[in-house]
Amino acid sequence: MKKKEALSDNELIQLLKVDDKAALTEIYNRYIESLAGFAGSQLYDLEDARDILHDIFAKLWKDRDSLNVTGNLKSYLFSATRHQVIDRIRRIAIRRDHALRISASMPPNSYGADKILEAKELQRNILIAIEELPPKTKLIYQLSRDEHLTSVEISERLHISEQTVKNQLTSALKHLRQSIIRICITIFLSYWL
């Protein structure tokens, strides 16, 4: 029998379906570096990228009996990674929006004066970060967040591709995430200095 490294992706999939763990290992070794680079470049968080890739390969093993890869394996894995990245970004954005709504709806007497000022400062800095976005990215972000339009609805309204909308939202969320991290570090350091 051929070494696993010499097998085609289709042969590895067939071996995977008959519980060959070495086939999974070979698939992992073949694609992990490029998948990690892709996920990391989209999320800018190595831990999130690792979690996503772990989940993808765990699911690949778990669903090996019913695995139906149409096309090539590399495309299948990149597509799965892309969907997981989008889901992760969406969850981060929802948590951020939820936190902002909660902080905005809290009655003033539930915080001390310093906490109210910090929350207002954070909200002000987030609005500044949104204003720093390029005009097209800012418009797409606002249509998504303020008007709650889907990527398809935004692409139709602006006459651009849905992928462009998704790319612009990813870019906006990256920028906002980095701004929030800087703000939180500044607040954290102000307590300790």
Side-chain angles (χ1 to χ4, degrees):
M1 176 149 192
K2 292 196 275 190
K3 288 185 176 182
K4 298 287 191 261
E5 298 86 18
L7 295 174
S8 71
D9 287 349
N10 288 337
E11 290 170 316
L12 288 171
I13 292 169
Q14 294 311 311
L15 289 172
L16 190 65
K17 288 182 176 187
V18 293
D19 302 337
D20 187 340
K21 288 183 181 178
L24 179 66
T25 301
E26 178 55 26
I27 292 169
Y28 179 90
N29 290 337
R30 223 174 253 190
Y31 295 109
I32 192 63
E33 190 172 312
S34 55
L35 291 171
F38 171 73
S41 72
Q42 299 299 309
L43 294 170
Y44 300 95
D45 184 334
L46 190 55
E47 287 302 317
D48 279 350
R50 284 182 187 157
D51 290 346
I52 284 173
L53 294 176
H54 175 270
D55 292 345
I56 287 171
F57 281 96
K59 184 170 175 31
L60 190 64
W61 179 253
K62 180 182 170 219
D63 297 340
R64 64 191 176 276
D65 297 330
S66 60
L67 188 63
N68 184 18
V69 177
T70 57
N72 68 43
L73 181 59
K74 183 177 182 179
S75 296
Y76 176 85
L77 292 171
F78 269 91
S79 179
T81 303
R82 184 168 105 350
H83 289 296
Q84 291 289 330
V85 165
I86 291 168
D87 287 345
R88 183 69 53 106
I89 291 170
R90 189 174 292 131
R91 282 195 303 272
I92 290 168
I94 288 169
R95 274 184 286 194
R96 189 211 65 228
D97 288 346
H98 184 67
L100 287 174
R101 281 192 207 106
I102 288 174
S103 68
S105 68
M106 295 293 278
N109 61 2
S110 67
Y111 281 127
D114 58 335
K115 298 292 183 197
I116 293 170
L117 289 175
E118 286 172 9
K120 285 183 179 181
E121 181 68 13
L122 177 61
Q123 192 166 17
R124 186 182 70 77
N125 283 309
I126 290 170
L127 291 174
I128 289 170
I130 291 170
E131 289 300 318
E132 291 171 348
L133 293 170
K136 181 179 178 182
T137 305
K138 179 181 166 188
L139 174 61
I140 290 170
Y141 175 82
Q142 289 172 328
L143 290 172
S144 172
R145 297 307 182 254
D146 298 340
E147 295 187 30
H148 308 287
L149 297 179
T150 65
S151 297
V152 173
E153 292 168 330
I154 295 169
S155 71
E156 289 171 356
R157 182 180 286 189
L158 299 180
H159 307 290
I160 57 177
S161 75
E162 184 180 355
Q163 188 59 48
T164 299
V165 171
K166 290 177 183 177
N167 292 344
Q168 293 294 317
L169 285 174
T170 299
S171 175
L173 293 174
K174 173 193 163 209
H175 174 73
L176 293 175
R177 183 170 48 250
Q178 290 171 340
S179 296
I180 290 169
I181 289 170
R182 280 194 308 271
I183 294 163
C184 290
I185 289 171
T186 303
I187 291 171
F188 177 77
L189 291 175
S190 71
Y191 282 113
W192 296 101
L193 298 179

